[in-house]
Amino acid sequence: MTPTLDGLIDIARQAGEILRQSFGKNLDVEYKSLIDLVSEADRQSERLLLNYIRQHFPGDSIQAEESGGLPGSSERVWYIDPLDGTVNYLHGIPIYSVSIAYAEGGVLRQGVVYDPVHDECFSAEHGKGAFLNGHLIHPASATDLDHALLVTGFSYDIRDIPDNNLDNFAYFALHSQGVRRLGSAALDLCYVACGRLDGFWELILQPWDLAAGALIAIEAGAKVSNIDGGPDFISPPPSVIAANHQLHPLILAGVHQK
């Protein structure tokens, strides 16, 4: 059985409703590390998504943020993030999302990122374009860094790793229109896809952070690569640069300007 984009959109909206109903309330929170959190809302959302996949696609493998890797077919892989932007969510900051992607034969086939706060559903299917609530989207047209609004993020182990992205942040803050840090990589990629932001880079991610958003950005017309410019942004260690085709090489050069 092959999933449908409408099916992914429906289950993403259901997971988003779980998050929306619990937003702003006192939740049980567990610290996975000093600054890496998980809440009961994460778990409830993930249970819904896992149950959906296991019921309808029982032989597929799953890469999920809270459950890790769940065995199944290496040819059919799901990447799910039940709550991308957990720290925002737990602080009452309304920037978070549900992210679901499906890959077959090593190719991302479908991706959905749902923002429950603004009821914005970004979606894409391989070779069929990218959409926001059913309307076709495209990246912005900035061709130089001075006119580009960028976005980035930082690893949870920023305090312990030498390549922590702070030098890149400082460089682009001085060489672009500005740099934002929103706290949801999935939405960062979707905002590049629809032209709200001009470019996104991040050095250390997880596959479930970027799979859906990357497909949406690619189908919108952006160029998406790993931090070295290669096409494989999923294999360990995942990293990403996303922008229109004119701006992408400038961000790539800036990341390697050290």
Side-chain angles (χ1 to χ4, degrees):
M1 183 176 177
T2 300
T4 65
L5 190 59
D6 285 344
L8 267 66
I9 290 172
D10 180 64
I11 197 65
R13 285 184 172 276
Q14 291 182 46
E17 181 61 18
I18 290 173
L19 301 180
R20 191 190 65 78
Q21 289 182 3
S22 296
F23 182 64
K25 299 179 180 178
N26 292 326
L27 297 168
D28 292 332
V29 178
E30 176 185 334
Y31 282 78
K32 295 187 286 185
S33 68
L34 186 61
I35 55 175
D36 187 4
L37 313 175
V38 60
S39 73
E40 181 56 29
D42 290 81
R43 297 188 180 95
Q44 289 178 9
S45 176
E46 186 165 291
R47 278 196 294 270
L48 176 75
L49 299 176
L50 292 179
N51 287 341
Y52 169 81
I53 297 168
R54 285 306 191 212
Q55 178 181 352
H56 296 285
F57 313 99
D60 296 2
S61 61
I62 306 172
Q63 294 289 320
E65 181 175 18
E66 305 309 331
S67 300
L70 301 177
S73 170
S74 60
E75 288 296 300
R76 297 167 56 94
V77 185
W78 294 77
Y79 300 97
I80 66 171
D81 193 338
L83 172 50
D84 189 49
T86 300
V87 175
N88 285 347
Y89 185 85
L90 294 176
H91 281 268
I93 299 170
I95 304 174
Y96 61 89
S97 60
V98 178
S99 178
I100 310 171
Y102 169 74
E104 188 172 331
V107 177
L108 289 169
R109 300 291 182 181
Q110 297 166 343
V112 172
V113 175
Y114 179 56
D115 172 357
V117 175
H118 303 99
D119 190 28
E120 290 190 332
C121 187
F122 298 87
S123 63
E125 193 163 6
H126 181 71
K128 297 184 179 181
F131 299 84
L132 167 53
N133 289 350
H135 299 284
L136 197 66
I137 55 175
H138 297 289
S141 57
T143 57
D144 62 85
L145 287 174
D146 287 334
H147 295 90
L149 183 62
L150 307 180
V151 67
T152 192
F154 300 91
S155 171
Y156 281 120
D157 56 359
I158 184 173
R159 305 182 187 192
D160 303 317
I161 57 174
D163 201 5
N164 57 22
N165 201 30
L166 290 173
D167 53 350
N168 296 309
F169 185 93
Y171 174 82
F172 285 115
L174 296 173
H175 292 84
S176 71
Q177 192 177 79
V179 181
R180 300 292 181 258
R181 194 276 175 95
L182 302 183
S184 169
L187 287 179
D188 291 340
L189 284 158
C190 291
Y191 284 10
V192 170
C194 73
R196 293 174 183 169
L197 294 165
D198 296 291
F200 170 50
W201 88 93
E202 192 161 347
L203 304 186
I204 301 173
L205 288 157
Q206 296 293 339
W208 48 80
D209 293 323
L210 56 79
L215 177 61
I216 291 165
I218 290 168
E219 287 296 320
K223 180 174 182 179
V224 180
S225 75
N226 61 34
I227 208 70
D228 294 318
D232 186 0
F233 45 79
I234 293 291
S235 297
S239 62
V240 69
I241 297 173
N244 68 43
H245 285 255
Q246 291 75 36
L247 198 60
H248 184 282
L250 303 181
I251 298 174
L252 177 62
V255 168
H256 293 281
Q257 52 75 37
K258 310 168 193 177

